[in-house]
Amino acid sequence: MLEIHDLHARLTDGREILRGIDLSVNAGEVHAIMGPNGSGKSTLAAVLAGRDGYEVNQGTVTYLGRDLLAMPADERAREGLFLAFQYPVEIPGVNNMYFLRTAINAQRRHRGEPELDAGQFLRIVRAKLKLLDIGEDLLQRAVNVGFSGGEKKRNEVFQMAMLEPRLAILDETDSGLDIDALKMVARGVNQQRAPDRAIVMITHYQRLLEYVEPDRVHVLQGGRIVQSGDKSLAMELERRGYGPVEDAA
Amino acid sequence: MSAVVDFPVKPEARPYLEAFGRDRRRGDPAWLRGYRRRSLARFAELGFPSRRSEAWRYIDLRQLEQRPMLPTARPTPVVTSALATQLAEIGLAEPSYRLVLVDGKFAPELSSLDQLPSTVRLGSIAAAIAERPDLVRSALEAQSPDRPFASLNAAFFAGGFVLDIAPGIALERPVEILHLAAGDAAGALYTRSLVVAGQDSRATVVESFAGSGDYWRNDVIELRLGAGSELTRVTFVAEGVDALHFGETLARLDEASRLSGFVLLAGGRTVRHDVTVRSEGAGSRCDLNGVFLLSGRQEANILTTVDHRAPGGETREVFKGVATGHAHGAFQGRITVRPGAQKVDAHQLSRNLVLSPRAAIDTKPELEIYADDVKCSHGAAIGDLDEAALFYLRARGISNNEARRMLIEAFAQEAVDLIEQAPLREHLRSRLTRRLATLEE
Ligand SMILES: Nc1ncnc2c1ncn2[C@@H]1O[C@H](COP(=O)(O)OP(=O)(O)OP(=O)(O)O)[C@@H](O)[C@H]1O
Ligand SMILES: [Mg+2]
C-alpha cells in the first residue's frame, strides 16, 4: 500500500530532517513509529500528507501504486490518505459539521459517488458518534476552537471514522489523553482495521499498543529508521529508552 | 458656457452647472428651487474633492472628472425582465413593506405598501415635498455645507423616499427599499431620503442597491432617531460592474436611542459608503458593522465618523475587508468624543484579508478624545489566510479553492453574524456566499 524508499526531506532553510527513510506498509497492517522528540516523526507525516514547506530532495513514495509526492495534498486525502494531526488546527468561523460534510462530499465526488444531503450525513454522523462515544455538541462548534487537548484528539479520530481512509497516519493521537479517551482512540483505530486498509501510529507510549496491537514497530531517530521489530520492541524501548538503539544501528 | 453665474466655479463643475441650467424642475416649490440653486453654487465653489483631502484619499475621481456623469432625463421606468431579475436577486424572502425605486423614481407596481399601519408613513420624496414640505426642508437643511457631492445631490435629486414612524410604534416586518437602475443610458442618479424614527419606536430598514449599465449613483440619507428609539439599518450594495456608488448617511441619535447599522459592499466598480453618526442625546448606542468583498479592479471605501456630543454613549464597530485581484479597499473610522461627553465607551475593530499581491487594503482608525473619563480603543489588522488552517482543510480532501472560500467566508461572516434578526442575517449570509462563489475566479 505504501512504499517509502530512501526518502530525504529538508526545510526551506536547507536543514535535512529526513535522511533516508525506508518503510513498507501493506494493506491490513498496523505499524507503530516511535522515536525521541525532534527525530522527524511529524515531518515524515507532514511530507506524506503533502504539507508545504518541505522539499523532498531524494527518494520515492508510492501509494496504491501511484507516485504520492506528485499529488497535491487535497488529492492525497481524496485518494484515502488521512493524517490525524499532532496539533489539530483551530479554524474560527467554520462549523465542524459543515467542514466534515464538505470533506466527505469532496471525497465522494472524487470517487464518482453522489453527495450526501444534510439528512443522510447526519445519520452517518450519529452512528459514528455512538460507536466512539463522543457527544454531538462538539460538532456544532467551530472546528477545534476552544476544544480541550483531548477533545481535539477525539475529533481527529471522529474525522477518521467518518472518512474511512485507506491509509491512516496518526501522529501522537494518544498523547495527553485520559484513560477513557485513550480507550476511545484505540476503539476508533481498531474499528478502522480492515484487510484493505493500513494504519501508521506515531506514538511515544507503549500503552496505546496494549489496546491496538501493531504488526510492526519502528524506531525513527535522526531522520532514519534505525530499528524495526514486532511489538516486543516497544516493550523493550519502554524499558531501556532510545539511547542504545542508536548504537545498535 | 452660456449661463451667467455670479459665484466662483471650479472647472469640473461647469458641465453640472450647464445641466442645471437645462433642467426646468417645473414641479418644485419656490423654497426648493432656491435651495437647489444655493447647493449648486456651493458645489461649484468646492468642486470635486481633492485627493489630498483625507476623506477622499482612497477613491480615484479622475475618470469622473474627465467624463462628467450628468443627470439624465429618464423616461418613466418600464418594468423589464432585467429589473425583475435584479429584484429577485436582492429582495428579501421574508414578508416586508417594500418600496421600489427605479432610477430613483417610485415604482408603485413593484412595491407593496398596502399592509403598512397608518402610524407609519412611507412614500416617495416627491410626495413628501408636496405633502410635508417642512419635514423635507428641515432634513435638507441639516446637511453639512462641506460635502461637495451632497451639495450636488441637493441640486439634482429627483427621487428617494421618506419613512416616518410614529412614536411608540414597533414595526415587526422590515421596511425594504430596493434601489434599482434600469440601465437605459449613462448618467447620474441622485436620490435623497429621510427616516424619522419617533420616540420609543422600533424598526428595521433594509436598503439594497442593484443595477446594470453605466451609472453614477449619488445617494444621501438622513436617519433621525428619537429618544429611546431603535433602528436597524442594513445596506446591501450590489451595483452593476461598471457603476459608481457614493452613499452618504447622516444619523442623529437622541437620548437612549440605538442605531444598528450593517453594510455589505459586494458590487459596483467604485463604491463609497460614508456614515456620520451624531450622538446628540445622552446614553445612545451605535453599532456599525460591515464587510467589503472586492475583486478585479473594484475600489471601495467605507468611512465612519461617530461624533459623541453627549455623555454615556456607546459605540461598537466591526468591519471586515477582503480584496483580491487588483482591487483596492479602504476603511477609515473616526470616533470623536467631545468635551463633556463623559463615560463614552467606544470600540472599533477593522480586520482585513489581502488575497493577491496586486490587491491592497488601507485601514485608518482615528480616535479624537477630548473628555477624560472615557473608554476608547481600536484594533486593526491586515493579513493573508492562515496557512495552517488551509492545510488542515486540504488534508481532509477539500480542494484548495474551496478551502480558501471557506476560510474567507468564515472571516467575513463574523461581521454578518452580528446582525441580530435571524432572517435578515440569513439573507445577508446567502448574499455573501453568492459573492464569494466568484470572488477568486
Ligand atoms: N516547519 C518547520 N520549521 C522549522 N523547523 C521544523 C519544521 N518542521 C520540523 N522542524 C524541525 O525538524 C525537527 C523534527 O521535527 P518533528 O516535528 O518532525 O519531530 P518529531 O519527531 O515529531 O518530534 P515530537 O516527538 O516532539 O513530536 C525538529 O528539530 C523541528 O524543530
Ligand atoms: Mg511530532
Side-chain angles (χ1 to χ4, degrees):
Chain A
M1 171 160 300
L2 181 72
E3 291 292 336
I4 304 176
H5 178 62
D6 192 28
L7 181 68
H8 290 249
R10 56 189 179 201
L11 300 173
T12 42
D13 66 8
R15 197 149 50 101
E16 195 169 75
I17 307 293
L18 302 183
R19 295 153 66 179
I21 302 258
D22 287 289
L23 180 67
S24 169
V25 179
N26 297 315
E29 291 179 348
V30 174
H31 289 228
I33 296 180
M34 305 182 81
N37 294 131
S39 59
K41 303 180 299 296
S42 293
T43 303
L44 174 62
V47 168
L48 294 177
R51 181 173 210 141
D52 290 338
Y54 302 93
E55 187 204 347
V56 173
N57 51 317
Q58 199 175 316
T60 57
V61 180
T62 312
Y63 168 66
L64 296 172
R66 289 180 63 190
D67 177 4
L68 182 73
L69 301 175
M71 293 187 237
D74 45 294
E75 189 184 338
R76 297 181 197 190
R78 291 192 297 272
E79 285 288 335
L81 183 107
F82 179 89
L83 169 63
F85 285 58
Q86 181 175 1
Y87 304 109
V89 183
E90 299 194 1
I91 313 183
V94 176
N95 173 276
N96 217 357
M97 281 287 239
Y98 168 63
F99 154 65
L100 246 186
R101 184 146 79 96
T102 309
I104 285 190
N105 281 334
Q107 195 180 57
R108 293 180 70 95
R109 273 200 306 277
H110 182 73
R111 293 194 198 128
E113 294 165 8
E115 295 189 18
L116 298 178
D117 64 32
Q120 294 166 317
F121 175 72
L122 197 63
R123 274 195 293 282
I124 300 176
V125 163
R126 294 225 162 104
K128 299 279 181 188
L129 285 174
K130 206 160 164 197
L131 278 175
L132 296 172
D133 195 22
I134 301 180
E136 201 171 318
D137 53 316
L138 233 49
L139 298 174
Q140 304 306 336
R141 289 156 57 182
V143 179
N144 295 322
V145 176
F147 287 25
S148 74
E151 286 169 342
K152 284 181 180 166
K153 301 287 168 116
R154 281 170 191 254
N155 196 28
E156 295 294 289
V157 174
F158 174 63
Q159 289 173 32
M160 175 178 76
M162 288 296 296
L163 289 161
E164 302 185 325
R166 297 291 300 277
L167 172 64
I169 302 165
L170 284 75
D171 192 355
E172 294 200 26
T173 306
D174 57 330
S175 290
L177 295 184
D178 63 38
I179 191 70
D180 290 342
L182 183 72
K183 284 182 181 162
M184 185 286 277
V185 169
R187 197 157 57 234
V189 176
N190 284 326
Q191 274 156 16
Q192 169 70 18
R193 264 185 127 144
D196 61 339
R197 298 190 196 160
I199 297 160
V200 175
M201 300 184 297
I202 296 168
T203 180
H204 286 295
Y205 308 106
Q206 202 257 331
R207 211 174 44 164
L208 174 67
L209 309 181
E210 283 169 12
Y211 298 102
V212 186
E213 208 167 298
D215 298 294
R216 298 289 291 163
V217 175
H218 310 276
V219 178
L220 203 159
Q221 206 163 353
R224 283 193 197 94
I225 291 185
V226 294
Q227 198 177 1
S228 298
D230 60 17
K231 62 175 176 169
S232 64
L233 176 58
M235 265 137 42
E236 192 187 323
L237 287 169
E238 187 104 333
R239 256 199 334 275
R240 65 173 165 88
Y242 292 112
V245 174
E246 202 165 36
D247 298 339
Chain B
M1 183 80 202
S2 55
V4 180
V5 289
D6 54 0
F7 45 81
V9 174
K10 286 278 174 64
E12 67 271 19
R14 286 187 191 283
Y16 296 89
L17 256 62
E18 286 169 21
F20 191 80
R22 288 193 298 271
D23 196 344
R24 294 274 72 92
R25 312 225 140 270
R26 276 190 209 89
D28 283 353
W31 66 266
L32 184 56
R33 278 203 300 274
Y35 179 76
R36 287 187 192 278
R37 264 197 309 275
R38 286 194 302 281
S39 300
L40 184 76
R42 183 62 186 151
F43 168 70
E45 196 180 334
L46 294 168
F48 280 15
S50 134
R51 244 188 150 162
R52 282 190 303 273
S53 93
E54 206 41 51
W56 289 92
R57 259 179 77 173
Y58 300 111
I59 293 279
D60 191 353
L61 293 170
R62 275 171 309 185
Q63 212 180 337
L64 194 59
E65 252 174 60
Q66 283 153 15
R67 196 178 64 116
M69 296 284 267
L70 302 173
T72 49
R74 289 173 182 235
T76 307
V78 251
V79 180
T80 61
S81 64
L83 284 182
T85 310
Q86 287 176 21
L87 263 181
E89 273 173 18
I90 63 172
L92 290 175
E94 61 174 314
S96 69
Y97 307 113
R98 178 181 278 191
L99 185 141
V100 179
L101 299 168
V102 179
D103 294 339
K105 294 206 183 73
F106 178 42
E109 68 281 21
L110 295 173
S111 305
S112 47
L113 301 174
D114 41 323
Q115 305 275 319
L116 208 64
S118 59
T119 45
V120 177
R121 302 176 68 162
L122 174 59
S124 71
I125 188 127
I129 289 167
E131 293 158 20
R132 311 172 73 195
D134 294 343
L135 181 68
V136 177
R137 198 170 175 175
S138 71
L140 293 175
E141 275 158 11
Q143 184 202 297
S144 152
D146 301 323
R147 294 172 167 264
F149 292 120
S151 292
L152 188 62
N153 178 292
F156 285 112
F157 77 86
F161 70 94
V162 174
L163 169 64
D164 185 4
I165 305 151
I169 297 302
L171 264 186
E172 294 309 327
R173 289 187 196 175
V175 171
E176 192 183 13
I177 312 292
L178 300 171
H179 298 259
L180 309 182
D184 299 331
L189 300 170
Y190 296 90
T191 42
R192 170 72 68 144
S193 303
L194 172 65
V195 174
V196 181
Q199 193 171 330
D200 297 317
S201 66
R202 201 174 69 226
T204 297
V205 177
V206 183
E207 279 189 88
S208 301
F209 297 85
S212 58
D214 185 9
Y215 58 94
W216 174 24
R217 194 192 300 275
N218 176 328
D219 179 62
V220 178
I221 184 168
E222 184 185 333
L223 312 174
R224 269 190 219 169
L225 281 75
S229 66
E230 282 179 35
L231 180 69
T232 297
R233 191 242 187 162
V234 169
T235 309
F236 173 45
V237 178
E239 303 277 23
V241 287
D242 296 316
L244 272 77
H245 172 109
F246 291 2
E248 287 196 15
T249 302
L250 170 64
R252 297 164 61 186
L253 275 54
D254 213 335
E255 201 178 324
S257 62
R258 176 172 183 186
L259 172 68
S260 303
F262 177 84
V263 61
L264 174 60
L265 303 186
R269 178 164 55 81
T270 299
V271 177
R272 194 171 185 278
H273 180 75
D274 182 343
V275 179
T276 302
V277 177
R278 289 209 308 243
S279 161
E280 296 175 343
S284 69
R285 173 167 171 126
C286 148
D287 290 87
L288 296 177
N289 304 312
V291 177
F292 60 74
L293 301 167
L294 310 173
S295 64
R297 299 201 170 268
Q298 281 185 293
E299 264 190 313
N301 194 179
I302 292 180
L303 297 97
T304 63
T305 304
V306 181
D307 182 0
H308 285 278
R309 301 177 170 203
E314 235 181 294
T315 293
R316 290 288 177 277
E317 295 184 26
V318 176
F319 285 90
K320 298 283 188 108
V322 180
T324 185
H326 290 71
H328 185 198
F331 170 75
Q332 288 157 279
R334 179 197 296 255
I335 296 174
T336 305
V337 181
R338 304 229 178 188
Q342 301 294 11
K343 307 266 183 222
V344 161
D345 180 346
H347 184 69
Q348 178 190 83
L349 183 66
S350 158
R351 290 187 59 210
N352 302 282
L353 277 183
V354 178
L355 300 173
S356 82
R358 297 282 176 79
I361 295 181
D362 291 283
T363 172
K364 212 168 150 287
E366 278 177 90
L367 302 183
E368 293 187 322
I369 319 288
Y370 302 105
D372 51 14
D373 186 14
V374 300
K375 264 201 283 188
C376 283
S377 61
H378 68 81
I382 300 175
D384 198 348
L385 291 175
D386 176 2
E387 281 300 324
L390 200 55
F391 177 65
Y392 190 80
L393 296 177
R394 294 183 60 207
R396 298 294 177 255
I398 298 169
S399 72
N400 190 46
N401 285 347
E402 192 161 10
R404 288 179 68 86
R405 198 193 46 68
M406 283 169 77
L407 294 178
I408 300 166
E409 183 158 15
F411 172 81
Q413 218 160 60
E414 231 185 303
V416 178
D417 285 349
L418 296 170
I419 298 174
E420 282 170 12
Q421 297 96 318
L424 203 49
R425 191 166 60 233
E426 280 315 309
H427 176 74
L428 282 136
R429 271 180 167 219
S430 75
R431 305 305 114 157
L432 180 79
T433 306
R434 195 178 295 180
R435 175 66 183 98
L436 286 176
T438 57
L439 191 79
E440 289 203 302
E441 275 172 2

